[in-house]
Amino acid sequence: MTWLVTGGAGYIGAHVVRALRAEGLPVVVFDDLSTGAKERVPDDVPLIAGSVLDGELLTEVLREHDVAGVVHMAGKKRVDESVAEPTFYYRENVEGVRSLLDAMAAADVRRLVFSSSAAVYGMPEQEGLVREDVDCRPLSPYGQTKLAGEWMVRAQGLARGLAFANLRYFNVAGAAEPALGDQGAFNLIPMVFARLDAGRPPLVFGTDYPTPDGTCVRDYIHVADLATAHAAAARRLAGDPQAALTLNVGRGAGVSVLEVLTAVAAATGLDTTPEAAARRPGDAPSVVAAADRIAAELGWHAEHDLAAMVDSAWAAWQARRSSGAAGATGAAGAASAAGSAGSPNPSGSP
């Protein structure tokens, strides 16, 4: 049973490709390489360069490779960019899903794992863990596009008999190996690394939240665990043509910004004493996944803790720095307002 992974040359996608192959599943990667890298794709995995907006090419690829299921990860993911360029995000993320669903229908492919995001929740009103049935009120165009994608997938499931799993990622971090590390400086941990490389303290936006140490609390998940969640979803869809799942992918454990900085200090040996800044609009005090549904439905749970995430992320950052790749990205991240220790995106990066 061959799986097509759109966005399979990206940070998360490359890990998913390896998790599927570890299950013995043939994989084909479809990526426009705008942020992905060919080097991330194993030499024996077919890589087709193209946009998911090209429905004819997608249909051709699905048929040519006899694809039985799709993991859809291609899309744009930066909250700040989505606020500045909302129509661009709607085109890439919403029209991209529509184009893919039509191509799958044309090629009679009836299994889809959809990369969604905890950004669909916005700022949850209830206290405690965020459950999948909470009212979704995304705060950004990015979160809106992910929720719209879920709606389309669910509607297509009813109309076409599509088995699906919408996976809502929380904050993603770490690397299974240094070569697969996050190449951007837009997620919390690499943003902190970028600040430290520039000789500047991490920024903490808000120290007076109603949390144990006054800083925002989020659910962080190792990218390798996220990848095995996709493999578990693929197994479920392969055996259950009626599957219609919407699942959080997180550890069910909250970590504060200051706790992340402590872990970074332990991994790097560097001083991570932060610089405090004012709160930013839209930052919820705490967003932590309820992870019981994914355990019940897929038999999956996260295995890596925060220390493993930070240690592996630091090893990947050092490898990029030694190759000269981290310099430009790190400097840009450190110089920007995004070089903070508090993310406006409760989901991290889908």
Side-chain angles (χ1 to χ4, degrees):
M1 177 181 288
T2 298
W3 285 80
L4 180 75
V5 181
T6 69
Y11 164 51
I12 300 175
H15 284 86
V16 170
V17 167
R18 283 158 176 77
L20 292 172
R21 282 163 57 85
E23 295 282 328
L25 297 171
V27 177
V28 176
V29 169
F30 188 92
D31 199 303
D32 69 3
L33 301 178
S34 60
T35 57
K38 294 179 181 179
E39 295 74 19
R40 292 180 180 274
V41 181
D43 291 338
D44 58 344
V45 171
L47 168 61
I48 295 89
S51 168
V52 291
L53 299 175
D54 188 344
E56 291 186 6
L57 176 60
L58 268 174
T59 303
E60 178 183 331
V61 170
L62 292 169
R63 288 172 173 165
E64 179 180 347
H65 292 273
D66 195 23
V67 169
V70 176
V71 179
H72 181 47
M73 313 186 71
K76 303 303 178 184
K77 67 177 185 178
R78 285 178 51 192
V79 169
D80 58 341
E81 184 179 53
S82 79
V83 172
E85 302 288 345
T87 57
F88 172 64
Y89 266 67
Y90 271 84
R91 184 187 70 189
E92 294 291 319
N93 290 358
V94 178
E95 174 61 14
V97 172
R98 198 248 357 126
S99 173
L100 173 66
L101 290 173
D102 281 351
M104 291 177 65
D108 196 29
V109 178
R110 297 175 180 263
R111 301 174 182 89
L112 175 62
V113 180
F114 175 58
S115 166
S116 188
S117 168
V120 302
Y121 294 123
M123 189 180 296
E125 294 181 356
Q126 86 286 358
E127 296 182 359
L129 302 179
V130 180
R131 310 196 66 82
E132 290 88 346
D133 55 2
V134 71
D135 187 21
C136 291
R137 299 177 181 177
L139 298 175
S140 67
Y142 166 71
Q144 294 163 7
T145 65
K146 286 299 182 179
L147 186 57
E150 288 189 12
W151 291 341
M152 280 194 290
V153 170
R154 188 176 298 111
Q156 190 77 334
L158 292 172
R160 299 276 185 172
L162 176 74
F164 67 86
N166 293 323
L167 301 185
R168 293 175 174 171
Y169 306 176
F170 280 66
N171 294 62
V172 186
E177 57 187 78
L180 298 182
D182 190 351
Q183 294 185 358
F186 305 107
N187 297 322
L188 172 57
I189 292 171
M191 285 194 289
V192 173
F193 294 160
R195 295 281 296 190
L196 296 174
D197 273 2
R200 304 171 70 181
L203 291 176
V204 176
F205 290 97
T207 59
D208 58 350
Y209 284 96
T211 61
D213 63 20
T215 63
C216 290
V217 172
R218 298 290 184 264
D219 190 325
Y220 293 87
I221 180 171
H222 198 295
V223 66
D225 286 331
L226 179 61
T228 62
H230 286 76
R235 284 197 307 271
R236 171 65 179 274
L237 300 188
D240 182 3
Q242 306 301 318
L245 305 173
T246 297
L247 305 170
N248 288 336
V249 189
R251 292 192 306 135
V255 178
S256 75
V257 171
L258 291 185
E259 287 174 321
V260 172
L261 294 183
T262 298
V264 171
T268 65
L270 300 174
D271 180 8
T272 60
T273 303
E275 176 183 331
R279 290 188 187 189
R280 295 175 301 184
D283 276 349
S286 178
V287 185
V288 180
D292 54 332
R293 182 177 293 183
I294 192 171
E297 292 286 357
L298 302 183
W300 175 92
H301 64 276
E303 297 182 354
H304 297 81
D305 61 11
L306 178 65
M309 293 180 226
V310 175
D311 288 347
S312 63
W314 179 237
W317 186 266
Q318 288 181 298
R320 290 183 56 233
R321 182 202 287 154
S322 65
S323 70
T329 303
S336 71
S340 70
S343 172
N345 176 10
S347 72
S349 60

